[in-house]
Amino acid sequence: MNTASTLFLANIPSPDRGVWQIGPVPLRAYALCIIAGIVIAIWWGDRRWVRRGGTKGTIVDIAVFAVPFGLIGGRLYHVITDNQLYFGEGKDPLRALYIWDGGLGIWGAIALGAVGAWIACRRMGIPLPAVADAVAPGIVVAQAVGRLGNYFNQELYGGPTDLPWGLEIYERVDPTTGLLDPLNGVAISDTPIQVVHPTFLYELLWNLGVALLVVWADRKFRLGHGRAFALYVAGYTAGRFWIELMRTDEANHILGLRVNVWTSLLVFAGAVAYFVLARRRGPREAPETLATDPDGATDNDGGRGENGGAGEEGRNPTGRDDGVGGVGGEVPRRSSH
């Protein structure tokens, strides 16, 4: 075993690439991770929604609005906060549309995704806060899965470290031209050019912990009126604050701190305030207020269609609200903010 392999044996190796060519079509690990996260959030959210008394399939219908809005919002946040990448001398503004090159901000995704969800909820006659509570743990798990995309892209890491779980960063080049290409290229060897803090992994694990916290608190205290969602937001931003301070990728600063650090602070404060104030709204929403008929209208008398969940099969007599059949706990360079 050579000296280099002995030295870096305990570290986490990066993938040699994040993009595979299937004929003329690039298969991007980052995109697959985002898609997988969305599927998980919808699937788990729908199960939790049914257990709260809602109609099966409602979350899927809401996602038709929320997901496109969220993708647009995520891209807008990235372009606004990293505008120097696309605008100015020598820049190509059209690249702001190249979402496949990476660049999604979770803050914009959640904000505009909520607008899409609100539109859908208005059409169906159901309360948005109740929907938010149902999908909260699934969203943060989706974010955890999305961070795997950053791992494949070999991006958004921290400073150098000699800890055993340091992340190995390899030099990647375009196999056709031989030019450096950290995002789309292939590693030229398995000898790292640096070993850094795997902040993608720190956030991934933190997000899974937040999901467990939300499921536990929601089950124990029967959170309603958006309080489970507020707990998710507060938990996520608390972790994002310290993880953001560790990152070394290029970012704009305000008063010496990265923009996302300030965003984390402000959003955390808002989430905590909402969590406290929403308690005044009383117990969790009654199951009959969440049911919809096949045409999407609220079924205020508590009746349900064939796929409804407010009857014996749809409600959870045990009061367990983890949404997984009673099993608790169980989401490029600039790919994601």
Side-chain angles (χ1 to χ4, degrees):
M1 183 176 294
N2 60 44
T3 303
S5 60
T6 302
L7 179 61
F8 299 115
L9 181 62
N11 295 327
I12 302 172
S14 290
D16 69 335
R17 71 190 72 194
V19 183
W20 295 266
Q21 288 294 142
I22 309 298
V25 180
L27 185 64
R28 299 179 181 274
Y30 178 73
L32 294 178
C33 290
I34 294 297
I35 293 171
I38 291 172
V39 171
I40 290 171
I42 294 173
W43 171 78
W44 194 5
D46 200 58
R47 290 178 67 88
R48 283 174 50 84
W49 179 250
V50 170
R51 285 189 169 274
R52 295 173 91 90
T55 305
K56 182 178 177 62
T58 296
I59 302 301
V60 178
D61 294 337
I62 292 173
V64 172
F65 289 83
V67 171
F69 273 73
L71 291 174
I72 294 172
R75 187 60 176 178
L76 284 174
Y77 182 89
H78 164 72
V79 172
I80 292 171
T81 56
D82 288 311
N83 60 85
Q84 74 281 358
L85 299 174
Y86 308 101
F87 306 102
E89 185 177 355
K91 303 297 183 181
D92 181 7
L94 286 179
R95 295 192 65 83
L97 303 177
Y98 295 178
I99 194 171
W100 53 88
D101 278 346
L104 291 175
I106 185 62
W107 319 105
I110 294 297
L112 210 56
V115 173
W118 174 78
I119 293 172
C121 288
R122 291 276 293 181
R123 290 166 58 93
M124 297 178 182
I126 54 178
L128 175 61
V131 171
D133 286 338
V135 301
I139 289 178
V140 74
V141 169
Q143 291 174 236
V145 175
R147 282 309 182 202
L148 286 176
N150 300 135
Y151 170 57
F152 279 94
N153 278 356
Q154 202 173 238
E155 63 187 354
L156 306 189
Y157 43 78
T161 181
D162 57 2
L163 292 171
W165 55 84
L167 176 68
E168 298 179 358
I169 300 299
Y170 307 137
E171 185 174 69
R172 290 178 176 178
V173 301
D174 184 323
T176 302
T177 65
L179 298 176
L180 287 176
D181 191 347
L183 183 63
N184 300 304
V186 179
I188 60 176
S189 76
D190 59 359
T191 300
I193 57 176
Q194 57 180 323
V195 179
V196 297
H197 279 284
T199 51
F200 85 90
L201 180 60
Y202 299 162
E203 186 169 332
L204 186 159
L205 295 175
W206 182 274
N207 288 351
L208 294 180
V210 171
L212 291 174
L213 172 65
V214 172
V215 168
W216 171 81
D218 195 30
R219 181 190 301 175
K220 183 174 180 62
F221 303 108
R222 294 187 57 80
L223 300 176
H225 304 288
R227 297 182 76 218
F229 189 84
L231 180 60
Y232 139 63
V233 173
Y236 170 72
T237 51
R240 183 62 184 270
F241 173 82
W242 65 266
I243 294 171
E244 191 73 25
L245 290 173
M246 297 182 67
R247 282 172 42 174
T248 57
D249 52 296
E250 182 181 353
N252 290 325
H253 290 69
I254 298 176
L255 299 179
L257 292 177
R258 296 163 66 98
V259 170
N260 285 325
V261 172
W262 288 110
T263 305
S264 296
L265 285 171
L266 294 174
V267 176
F268 173 82
V272 171
Y274 182 91
F275 184 84
V276 173
L277 295 175
R279 185 177 182 179
R280 301 175 181 176
R281 303 186 65 180
R284 175 185 290 180
E285 298 87 344
E288 58 268 20
T289 67
L290 311 183
T292 57
D293 64 26
D295 295 323
T298 301
D299 187 358
N300 291 319
D301 62 5
R304 298 297 296 277
E306 182 178 353
N307 295 325
E312 291 185 20
E313 296 182 0
R315 293 187 183 174
N316 183 359
T318 67
R320 296 166 66 92
D321 298 292
D322 48 73
V324 191
V327 180
E330 280 291 281
V331 65
R333 205 164 39 229
R334 51 185 186 279
S335 286
S336 174
H337 289 276

